[in-house]
Amino acid sequence: MKTFALTLGIVALLAGTLGAGWFHGQMSNRWGVQPDSDLAAHRLRQPLPDRVGHWRLKREVELEEAALRVLQCPAYISRVYEHEQTGDVISVAVLMGPPGPISVHTPEICYSANDYTLGGERERLDLEDKQGSQHSFWQVNMKSNGADGGKLRVLYGWTTGTQWLAAKHPRYGYGGVPHLYKLQLATASTGQSSDEFDASKDFLANFLVPLRHQLVESHTPPAAPGE
């Protein structure tokens, strides 16, 4: 049941895009497909380690072609990991594509469209990876409207290839770059206090290090003559 709920979390990541993504996607690829974006797609498809820290890969999750077309997403990572000692299970998806489609939706919208209720306002979570780099993500808590009433903790953020940020207005902040990455993570909420093991932070602290080698920094292209 836990793995099913986390897989649903990955599906929900895309479901909310099918209606609005096409319209907002029109702001993408203004300068055409950039060479760096082709390289970014190629690099993101390269294999990641099956183990990061104490986390081991349980399985890959294939995302639906229809949703990927709407997102104009040429490459992605979608995986489920399990902690070898605690048994915590995490689903993680990393999407790459034009900033319009990649930035327009949030878990607050897409989970609510998939039978989940938002459990409060989003909060910013700051963390440091194993190489000492600083990152920030939004975190929200979701509760299933089903009979099990399962709870999920969801983290998400964006990057142009270096630091992950809990951007307040990603659609406008990243509107000029040729490609953008989004990471979304879901894990069962345990209600643990802050001084106990934090599965989400521990996973990201380990996962972001090898992931960094598969990202290509996205630079704002020069304006066309007359702009």
Side-chain angles (χ1 to χ4, degrees):
M1 178 61 69
K2 181 186 292 186
T3 301
F4 173 77
L6 296 178
T7 302
L8 177 61
I10 293 179
V11 174
L13 169 67
L14 300 177
T17 318
L18 292 174
W22 177 257
F23 172 78
H24 293 292
Q26 302 313 300
M27 64 180 269
S28 63
N29 287 331
R30 182 180 180 185
W31 297 272
V33 177
Q34 302 295 310
D36 283 353
S37 298
D38 287 336
L39 175 62
H42 172 74
R43 190 173 294 178
L44 194 62
R45 296 189 194 107
Q46 302 310 302
L48 269 171
D50 288 347
R51 292 175 182 268
V52 287
H54 291 292
W55 297 88
R56 64 178 179 83
L57 177 67
K58 289 195 69 175
R59 62 192 180 95
E60 305 267 3
V61 179
E62 186 173 347
L63 303 182
E64 294 183 2
E65 286 296 326
L68 295 175
R69 285 196 299 270
V70 170
L71 286 167
Q72 302 176 43
C73 178
Y76 68 90
I77 295 168
S78 180
R79 290 182 150 201
V80 177
Y81 284 86
E82 182 176 26
H83 196 277
E84 295 173 318
Q85 298 175 348
T86 68
D88 285 291
V89 177
I90 276 179
S91 72
V92 62
V94 180
L95 306 177
M96 171 263 163
I102 295 298
S103 66
V104 295
H105 71 290
T106 64
E108 293 93 321
I109 298 173
C110 57
Y111 273 89
S112 297
N114 284 271
D115 207 27
Y116 275 81
T117 299
L118 180 63
E121 297 292 327
R122 68 182 184 181
E123 298 178 351
R124 174 173 162 153
L125 176 71
D126 297 317
L127 63 89
E128 181 179 294
D129 68 30
K130 291 297 183 178
Q131 289 186 339
S133 297
Q134 302 293 323
H135 309 276
S136 64
F137 292 87
W138 293 117
Q139 61 175 341
V140 293
N141 294 311
M142 311 296 298
K143 181 178 180 181
S144 171
N145 296 329
D148 63 341
K151 296 180 180 180
L152 291 178
R153 181 189 186 195
V154 182
L155 273 62
Y156 63 99
W158 296 267
T159 188
T160 56
T162 52
Q163 182 185 33
W164 290 90
L165 294 174
K168 290 185 177 181
H169 305 290
R171 178 187 174 193
Y172 302 104
Y174 297 118
V177 299
H179 65 269
L180 181 66
Y181 300 93
K182 181 182 180 182
L183 183 150
Q184 184 162 309
L185 174 155
T187 187
S189 177
T190 62
Q192 291 179 326
S193 60
S194 59
D195 60 342
E196 295 179 327
F197 177 72
D198 188 318
S200 299
K201 291 183 71 172
D202 183 79
F203 174 78
L204 287 173
N206 288 281
F207 180 73
L208 295 182
V209 174
L211 178 62
R212 174 66 186 90
H213 299 296
Q214 296 191 215
L215 307 182
V216 174
E217 190 168 359
S218 183
H219 299 284
T220 303
E227 290 192 8

